[in-house]
Amino acid sequence: MTKQKMKNITIVTEDQVSRRAKTFGRQEEFKWTESHCTACGRCSRICPVDAITIDRTDELTKRMRAAPCSQACPAGLDGSRYARFIGEGKYSEAAAVIRERAPLPLVLGHICKRPCESECQRGKYEGSLQLRALKRFAAAKDDGVWRERLNIAPDSGKKVAVVGSGPAGMSIAYFLKILGHDVTVFESLPDKGGKMLSSIPDYQLPKDVVAAEIGIIESLGVEVKTNSSVDSTASLFAQGFEAVALAIGVKGWGKSIKLPIPGCDAEGVVAGSELLKKIAAEWPLELGSRVMVLGGGTDAFRIALAAAREGAEVHIFGQEHTGGTDADAWEVDQALAEGVTVHSSSLFYRVVSADGKVQGVAGLKIRALGYDSDNQACYDPLPLDEQFFEADSVVSTISSEDISREPMGVSPGVFAAGDAVNEQRSVIESIAAARWVAAAVDRYLGGSGDLTQTLAVPESDAAVTPLKDLKSKFPSPVPVKYVRAADGSQAASEQTLPDAAAVADAKRCLKCDLSYNLKDYQLETGVCVYCGRCIEACYWNAITPGAGYEQARQVAEAVSAKDKRFATVLTVLVAIGVVLIAAVTFMKLTDILA
């Protein structure tokens, strides 16, 4: 395993963190997950029958994005590390950790959806860490020391246009700038900030916070042009830009931005134009019992209606008004009345083929989309199951050329991210999408796409020592100020944590990302009494009940109860025997004395 050495700890990168899982017992009574285990030895020390053996060394390791909070964060913020810095009073270093992966830390500290907190292991006890409040605290204390360690690549000579100055657009601009590109952001409105200004009340996210965060990005050399509408990507390429990133927010979702459907031109896909000729001649389509139609314009609905009337199960995939002219309300109503299913344009679709034969259509939610250096479509999927729709025939009313001709079509050299791709998402989701797009654009332009930055100093020895014992501490309450909202109602406005409260909450971190160097973990179920002490002792859910645990526990309890009954009976019999012996002895002594 390749490891990166730091001053006092071995860093194991995210792609090298072992995700190994083991089950123990014939009925899988226990499950053990290596990425959760810190090799602290609590489970083995508490086991009454020495059933657990841990093979480890005292070498310390930090596993990147192994902590549940970091896994839950779309942008992969290292919550454990910035919490530890706050716990030691190193507030600027904590802010630097956040900035390693997100350029809007103070914005996140105000309005992040905090998926990290719902996964925080401390939540099993008194309550999760106040990670959003800790972000806000650290960002408010930021003295800019991270700038001294920011690694900006040499000028690449490449120009990139970003359309939209919301969280996705400004984050894309920031990441591309540190990768060495000349970046210009085009904003159609007079103010910079996108949905951070238009969709979020001022009492939740003050406008001066947004302005300050964007100002920092501009200070690195990013140019933002307000009152600058962009009608087409072609106009930007004509100005000398070599790549375009679209981050135009919800106004672009399903409307101005047009996403491609990879495989729509593949061999085996039926051309919609040929079927329209058959429909005009009143010939049967003969497409089979399950038909998938790609596109959302009048051509798609005409074909779908004809196929449905032949008895087929018909599905339409694609964004509205793509393929032919716009579908009118009558065509849509007719198709729906015949049972045609129209799928959400918030999904990204692709044609699935195997062995040269079209199998159907797959759809999933994505954060971002673009093209690689070979002009092949690539995308950043959300961690959800992909839906698959099996088909006898797949019909396409669109082509790659159609998308390229769209004013805001995503074609080679054009990338899209944020709300415009998959409906309204959170700011942290937009930042995650921006990281992907920036890396993809850099690779498209010939770079490595590596966004790795180390902006904080190495942690102290005390900070990186794994936790051994848990002391009960409740979450620090976040101060709230009641203000009057725009509609006249009273609203709660969170305030920044006081220093002492922030430090106290940060020190509650269980350090899930730290571990001793673990070699192996074994649990011998043959001697286990299923008391559950190991499960209760583990703060990190590394050892958990398996499928057969409950049955094994019941059997063990039944055997234990039987043993207890036997022991009780034996004790009573022994006691009776002792009494009888004492009685006989007493009688003999009485006879002798008499």
Side-chain angles (χ1 to χ4, degrees):
M1 178 184 294
T2 305
K3 296 179 181 179
Q4 177 187 359
K5 273 285 188 182
M6 287 183 68
K7 179 180 178 182
N8 48 18
I9 192 169
T10 299
I11 306 298
V12 182
T13 58
E14 179 184 350
D15 60 332
Q16 295 168 337
V17 172
S18 173
R19 306 293 176 183
R20 180 176 50 151
K22 282 185 178 183
T23 56
F24 299 101
R26 292 182 180 180
Q27 303 299 320
E28 298 185 358
E29 288 89 348
F30 292 93
K31 180 181 178 181
W32 173 77
T33 306
E34 183 171 0
S35 61
H36 291 184
C37 183
T38 66
C40 66
R42 284 177 54 82
C43 56
S44 62
R45 290 195 299 271
I46 205 168
C47 179
V49 292
D50 295 330
I52 298 174
T53 304
I54 298 176
D55 182 11
R56 69 164 219 201
T57 68
D58 288 336
E59 179 188 5
L60 296 174
T61 62
K62 174 178 170 55
R63 301 163 299 184
M64 298 301 295
R65 212 167 181 182
C69 60
S70 185
Q71 290 182 40
C73 178
L77 298 188
D78 197 344
S80 301
R81 189 155 63 105
Y82 69 70
R84 289 195 291 270
F85 273 125
I86 293 173
E88 290 192 319
K90 301 174 182 177
Y91 309 141
S92 292
E93 301 299 341
V97 171
I98 301 168
R99 285 193 176 276
E100 288 177 356
R101 299 192 66 89
L104 304 170
L106 193 53
V107 168
L108 290 174
H110 280 75
I111 48 84
C112 184
K113 293 294 185 182
R114 51 184 175 187
C116 51
E117 292 186 18
S118 63
E119 297 299 321
C120 175
Q121 295 285 37
R122 191 78 194 214
K124 294 190 303 179
Y125 302 99
E126 312 90 348
S128 68
L129 266 69
Q130 304 279 27
L131 289 167
R132 181 173 71 187
L134 292 178
K135 277 196 285 284
R136 176 170 174 168
F137 174 83
K141 296 283 188 178
D142 183 11
D143 63 4
V145 68
W146 57 274
R147 286 174 175 267
E148 300 171 7
R149 308 176 193 121
L150 183 65
N151 181 24
I152 299 179
D155 186 1
S156 67
K158 305 291 177 66
K159 292 176 60 179
V160 182
V162 177
V163 184
S165 68
M170 293 310 303
S171 296
I172 292 170
Y174 168 81
F175 291 128
L176 286 173
K177 185 61 185 178
I178 64 176
L179 287 169
H181 304 301
D182 182 7
V183 187
T184 302
V185 179
F186 295 87
E187 172 55 57
S188 62
L189 298 176
D191 298 311
K192 312 161 191 173
K195 73 178 179 186
M196 294 185 289
L197 295 182
S198 61
S199 303
I200 303 171
D202 194 62
Y203 67 83
Q204 290 183 335
L205 181 61
K207 290 180 174 54
D208 60 341
V209 169
V210 177
E213 296 275 65
I214 292 177
I216 291 174
I217 296 173
E218 289 180 298
S219 72
L220 298 176
V222 172
E223 182 182 6
V224 183
K225 294 183 176 181
T226 55
N227 295 312
S228 300
S229 295
V230 175
D231 297 323
S232 71
T233 56
S235 66
L236 295 173
F237 287 120
Q239 295 177 44
F241 292 102
E242 295 169 73
V244 176
L246 302 176
I248 59 178
V250 290
K251 73 176 183 179
W253 173 59
K255 296 178 177 65
S256 56
I257 285 187
K258 301 301 180 187
L259 304 183
I261 299 181
C264 65
D265 301 323
E267 184 179 353
V269 174
V270 181
S273 58
E274 297 301 316
L275 295 182
L276 291 173
K277 294 176 184 178
K278 286 187 175 184
I279 292 172
E282 298 184 354
W283 293 348
L285 300 183
E286 299 176 338
L287 295 171
S289 61
R290 286 178 59 84
V291 180
M292 309 294 144
V293 182
L294 308 179
T298 184
D299 294 350
F301 279 94
R302 286 181 62 193
I303 293 169
L305 180 59
R309 285 176 173 170
E310 291 183 5
E313 177 189 336
V314 185
H315 298 255
I316 289 181
F317 303 90
Q319 291 177 305
E320 58 193 273
H321 314 317
T322 54
T325 57
D326 293 354
D328 62 36
W330 181 86
E331 290 174 311
V332 175
D333 290 343
Q334 283 283 97
L336 294 176
E338 292 288 346
V340 173
T341 302
V342 181
H343 290 270
S344 170
S345 59
S346 67
L347 293 183
F348 173 70
Y349 299 105
R350 62 186 181 89
V351 176
V352 178
S353 301
D355 300 323
K357 180 176 173 55
V358 173
Q359 304 293 312
V361 175
L364 77 166
K365 281 189 175 290
I366 62 173
R367 287 196 190 100
L369 175 74
Y371 283 82
D372 60 22
S373 56
D374 296 324
N375 289 337
Q376 296 298 308
C378 51
Y379 50 89
D380 180 26
L382 287 168
L384 299 171
D385 291 335
E386 186 175 52
Q387 301 176 44
F388 176 70
F389 304 88
E390 188 176 0
D392 295 315
S393 298
V394 174
V395 179
S396 180
T397 64
I398 60 176
S399 67
S400 299
E401 288 73 20
D402 290 335
I403 298 298
S404 298
R405 285 193 292 268
E406 290 282 349
M408 288 294 185
V410 179
S411 54
V414 181
F415 302 77
D419 298 353
V421 174
N422 66 352
E423 67 190 320
Q424 194 164 0
R425 309 293 298 182
S426 64
V427 170
I428 190 65
E429 288 273 13
S430 296
I431 292 173
R435 286 186 64 87
W436 187 92
V437 163
V441 169
D442 187 54
R443 289 191 293 268
Y444 178 80
L445 296 176
S448 66
D450 185 6
L451 287 167
T452 303
Q453 293 279 339
T454 302
L455 304 180
V457 297
E459 296 181 77
S460 68
D461 290 340
V464 297
T465 301
L467 192 71
K468 294 182 179 179
D469 294 301
L470 178 67
K471 295 180 180 179
S472 181
K473 293 180 182 178
F474 286 88
S476 296
V478 178
V480 172
K481 178 181 179 181
Y482 289 94
V483 299
R484 192 160 300 282
D487 61 359
S489 62
Q490 193 176 53
S493 175
E494 288 189 1
Q495 305 297 300
T496 305
L497 285 168
D499 290 24
V503 171
D505 199 77
K507 286 184 175 180
R508 299 172 59 244
C509 179
L510 297 180
K511 303 183 180 182
C512 304
D513 58 325
L514 302 178
S515 171
Y516 293 103
N517 189 15
L518 181 64
K519 303 295 185 182
D520 195 22
Y521 185 99
Q522 294 294 332
L523 192 156
E524 180 54 60
T525 55
V527 298
C528 179
V529 295
Y530 300 95
C531 62
R533 294 181 188 177
C534 57
I535 297 170
E536 294 174 0
C538 183
Y539 301 144
W540 302 276
N541 280 351
I543 186 73
T544 55
Y549 177 81
E550 187 59 29
Q551 182 179 354
R553 185 188 63 80
Q554 292 174 0
V555 171
E557 287 182 351
V559 171
S560 177
K562 184 177 179 181
D563 290 344
K564 287 180 180 178
R565 288 195 298 270
F566 177 77
T568 301
V569 171
L570 184 61
T571 300
V572 170
L573 291 175
V574 170
I576 292 172
V578 170
V579 170
L580 289 174
I581 292 171
V584 170
T585 303
F586 179 75
M587 292 173 63
K588 287 185 177 181
L589 287 173
T590 302
D591 291 341
I592 293 171
L593 293 173

